[in-house]
Amino acid sequence: MLWAIRNTINIPFILSTKTHRYFVDQTQKDIVDKRLSDPKFKPYFGKKQQRPHQTLFKHGGIEINHSFAINTSLLLSTIKKHLKEKNILITDTYTPKNLQIHPTHISYKDNQAKTILFCQGAQLEQNPLFSHLPFRSSKGDVLTLKLSQFNPNCNLSFNQWLIPTKETLFKYGATYEWPPYQNLPLESSKQTLLNHFTTFIKTPYTLLNHQSGIRCALTNNKPICEKHPKYDRVYVCSALGSKGFMQAPYLTQQIINTIHGQTCSWFTWYF
């Protein structure tokens, strides 16, 4: 579905990239070495890698095959522009009291529809229709770094990820913090990331930006994608955690099939 979206909006927001996974200890290396002999895993591993210059990955690493990168900000901004041009996007803050659920339709302010599908991410926790769900969301912090003297020409994974965005700029993260947490970038989270970075990569850096966000998730770390147990015209697709881009295309197609009365192959049941 992501490729279909790319072809529709004619913007290259998804790109094939190279990713190198570096081991931070012998245990990680042993796990991968064992998987290399398993036919199920072998297609996903490329050549073994020596540590790059200016790094301290003494256990080496391996290339990950079939790796892609998604430019999230470009994707979202382009889709919004595309939908606005077609006059099918309303930008507003959802207010639960404005939703009216009727036997034959739903209404929200001046809009009516046969069904409503909630894809609210972390905001779903504040939606009274879904207060019964066992949420266990996490907070993550991400840094934007300028590395003028370091150019690996690929994505690096070493318990954290370091992804080149353009020229000497990189995205680096992310932390995991569990409730109770503050929904804003914290100095402690920044230091956690920088300490890990400087442990393994020995190069000057400039910190340009520090962002944070909430990963909506449930207690079993599986998504919720289903019809509401009480209201036949209310649906939800959320709690994708940190794997949203991997799961969203498949799950949204499944929930659309459900809304149209078709049989679906997989769901997580929580209601």
Side-chain angles (χ1 to χ4, degrees):
M1 184 177 288
L2 284 174
W3 292 106
I5 294 173
R6 191 184 79 158
N7 293 336
T8 299
I9 62 179
N10 197 30
I11 295 292
F13 64 85
I14 179 170
L15 300 170
S16 177
T17 62
K18 183 186 295 184
T19 296
H20 290 173
R21 164 77 184 278
Y22 287 97
F23 313 123
V24 301
D25 54 38
Q26 185 63 40
T27 299
Q28 290 186 356
K29 183 178 185 300
D30 291 343
I31 291 173
V32 170
D33 285 342
K34 184 177 180 180
R35 287 179 174 175
L36 283 171
S37 61
D38 188 331
K40 297 193 300 294
F41 290 101
K42 198 168 184 179
Y44 300 100
F45 292 121
K47 296 179 180 179
K48 290 187 176 181
Q49 301 293 318
Q50 300 300 316
R51 67 179 183 92
H53 181 58
Q54 298 176 291
T55 69
L56 297 179
F57 300 119
K58 64 180 182 179
H59 301 282
I62 195 163
E63 183 176 350
I64 305 298
N65 294 333
H66 314 299
S67 175
F68 294 87
I70 295 175
N71 188 328
T72 309
S73 58
L74 177 62
L75 170 62
L76 295 179
S77 63
T78 305
I79 287 179
K80 286 180 180 179
K81 180 181 178 182
H82 178 75
L83 296 178
K84 283 183 178 180
E85 289 174 350
K86 290 184 173 294
N87 198 31
I88 54 176
L89 176 67
I90 298 173
T91 303
D92 196 3
T93 300
Y94 175 70
T95 307
K97 67 179 181 180
N98 291 327
L99 178 67
Q100 301 295 322
I101 304 173
H102 307 281
T104 59
H105 66 282
I106 61 98
S107 61
Y108 183 78
K109 296 184 178 180
D110 297 329
N111 302 286
Q112 290 191 8
K114 292 181 179 180
T115 58
I116 184 169
L117 171 60
F118 286 96
C119 305
Q120 293 181 279
Q123 296 301 315
L124 192 71
E125 294 191 48
Q126 312 305 319
N127 190 327
L129 286 170
F130 305 102
S131 59
H132 57 286
L133 290 176
F135 290 103
R136 188 174 182 263
S137 298
S138 65
K139 172 178 172 283
D141 285 50
V142 176
L143 307 180
T144 300
L145 302 178
K146 182 175 183 180
L147 308 177
S148 300
Q149 301 176 32
F150 185 72
N151 185 16
N153 291 317
C154 65
N155 305 323
L156 299 186
S157 173
F158 51 107
N159 283 6
Q160 305 291 354
W161 43 258
L162 182 70
I163 299 177
T165 55
K166 60 178 181 179
E167 296 178 355
T168 58
L169 301 186
F170 294 77
K171 289 287 187 180
Y172 173 62
T175 58
Y176 275 83
E177 296 177 44
W178 307 101
Y181 46 66
Q182 294 178 273
N183 190 11
L184 74 167
L186 294 179
E187 178 67 21
S188 58
S189 300
K190 181 185 77 174
Q191 289 305 320
T192 296
L193 288 171
L194 291 178
N195 289 343
H196 185 81
F197 179 85
T198 55
T199 297
F200 293 100
I201 299 179
K202 300 301 180 181
T203 188
Y205 67 85
T206 302
L207 175 62
L208 300 181
N209 196 14
H210 180 189
Q211 300 166 288
S212 65
I214 305 300
R215 310 174 186 91
C216 181
L218 302 181
T219 52
N220 71 345
N221 291 322
K222 292 184 178 180
I224 176 69
C225 188
E226 195 37 284
K227 181 171 68 175
H228 194 277
K230 182 177 179 181
Y231 302 109
D232 289 342
R233 299 188 177 278
V234 177
Y235 295 80
V236 61
C237 184
S238 195
L240 306 188
S242 60
K243 302 295 187 292
F245 277 112
M246 297 175 64
Q247 300 184 89
Y250 171 76
L251 291 175
T252 51
Q253 186 61 62
Q254 295 296 306
I255 197 67
I256 289 170
N257 291 344
T258 299
I259 292 172
H260 289 287
Q262 301 176 29
T263 302
C264 297
S265 58
W266 179 85
F267 282 112
T268 295
W269 294 83
Y270 258 109
F271 292 134

